[in-house]
Amino acid sequence: LPDLAGPSPTSSSGPIPLPEPEVKRLLEQAGIDVPRGAVAAAPDGLAAAASGLSAPLVLKAFGPGIVHKSDVGAVRLDLGAPDRLAAVAEEMRAALAAHGLRPAGFLVEEQAAPGVELIVGAVRDPSFGPVLMVGLGGVWTEALGDTSLRLCPVGRTDVEAALAELRGAALLDGVRGGTPVDRTALTELILAVGGRGGLVERLGNDWSELDLNPVVAGPRGATAVDARLLLA
Ligand code: ADP
Ligand code: MG
């Protein structure tokens, strides 16, 4: 992926996480739906950055050591007016400082409508190559342990089967009279990750782990609202 990953990482110790806004740019280039968003280096730039976005908004901090954002106060949902963003970002900066962390910048993005939260991920297995994972749960993925694996590149039938074999697959059809999720959009998103010519293929050999967690699947569309990519 020439140019897409930005400047070469200087540290050689272990996998390097790419900042979330950059991962989302890669997803977008691969045809994966991500929330509309903008970046500001400092809190006072956020209102201007957010001027073209529609509320409700989500604010996130990114930077070295900021991994599980919810655990360190680096995600705020349901934000309204852009002129409040700077104050929320200052609170975030203080919360992060208490954890010994300093944000490199802030990402403000539109908040996706509620839906079923899934994880779509990939790892590179030393003998099998890239392996795709789909699962239900978003933040509860680990607790539920409800995931399916497929070797990449996956085809449409693989993706449909991987989704169908989840123990919680019925959630995708709408629980208690709820609206079913957009299976087509969800399948297309997963194919854009692990299918022929998809993101995993385009990343080549320079990565070790990709996590879209969660992907929010609604009645119309599926959006990757969080994204993590570890460069090898
Ligand atoms: P973490 O690093 O803690 O995983 P996330 O970016 O996944 O942080 O945000 C935490 C939760 O907030 C997500 O699991 C999702 O439920 C919600 N969330 C985050 N971004 C958005 C968004 N743009 N739209 C809707 N919900 C979001
Ligand atoms: Mg997440």
Side-chain angles (χ1 to χ4, degrees):
L1 262 185
D3 295 327
L4 296 181
S8 303
T10 45
S11 158
S12 57
S13 54
I16 323 275
L18 207 59
E20 180 172 340
E22 290 183 40
V23 185
K24 284 181 162 163
R25 216 155 34 91
L26 294 180
L27 298 186
E28 214 172 357
Q29 286 164 359
I32 295 161
D33 190 44
V34 298
R36 293 202 320 130
V39 164
D44 61 9
L46 278 165
S51 64
L53 305 177
S54 309
L57 299 171
V58 177
L59 182 67
K60 305 183 184 188
F62 61 88
I66 305 176
V67 184
H68 299 293
K69 296 179 294 289
S70 313
D71 295 348
V72 291
V75 189
R76 289 280 293 271
L77 303 172
D78 293 309
L79 301 173
D83 57 3
R84 279 271 305 138
L85 290 169
V88 178
E90 290 296 359
E91 287 170 24
M92 209 172 254
R93 197 142 75 169
L96 285 164
H99 288 93
L101 296 166
R102 225 167 61 119
F106 297 90
L107 169 65
V108 55
E109 62 185 17
E110 294 183 350
Q111 183 164 317
V116 177
E117 295 202 349
L118 296 104
I119 179 171
V120 177
V123 291
R124 282 176 52 209
D125 182 89
S127 24
F128 295 110
V131 179
L132 178 86
M133 187 204 21
V134 298
L136 279 170
V139 284
W140 310 118
T141 302
E142 278 175 38
L144 294 175
D146 192 11
T147 55
S148 310
L149 301 173
R150 289 293 184 281
L151 293 182
C152 293
V154 291
R156 189 173 302 273
T157 326
D158 301 316
V159 172
E160 285 164 358
L163 290 172
E165 78 189 26
L166 295 171
R167 288 198 308 276
L171 284 175
L172 302 174
D173 300 321
V175 275
R176 297 193 188 163
T179 327
V181 309
D182 185 343
R183 284 264 191 166
T184 309
L186 178 58
T187 302
E188 291 302 332
L189 182 149
I190 298 168
L191 284 171
V193 174
R196 256 180 222 298
L199 180 62
V200 158
E201 246 176 46
R202 295 162 65 150
L203 288 170
N205 296 321
D206 303 329
W207 63 286
S208 57
E209 202 178 316
L210 170 72
D211 259 305
L212 314 187
N213 187 16
V215 167
V216 179
R220 279 177 45 213
T223 306
V225 305
D226 186 20
R228 209 163 96 84
L229 176 64
L230 298 184
L231 300 180

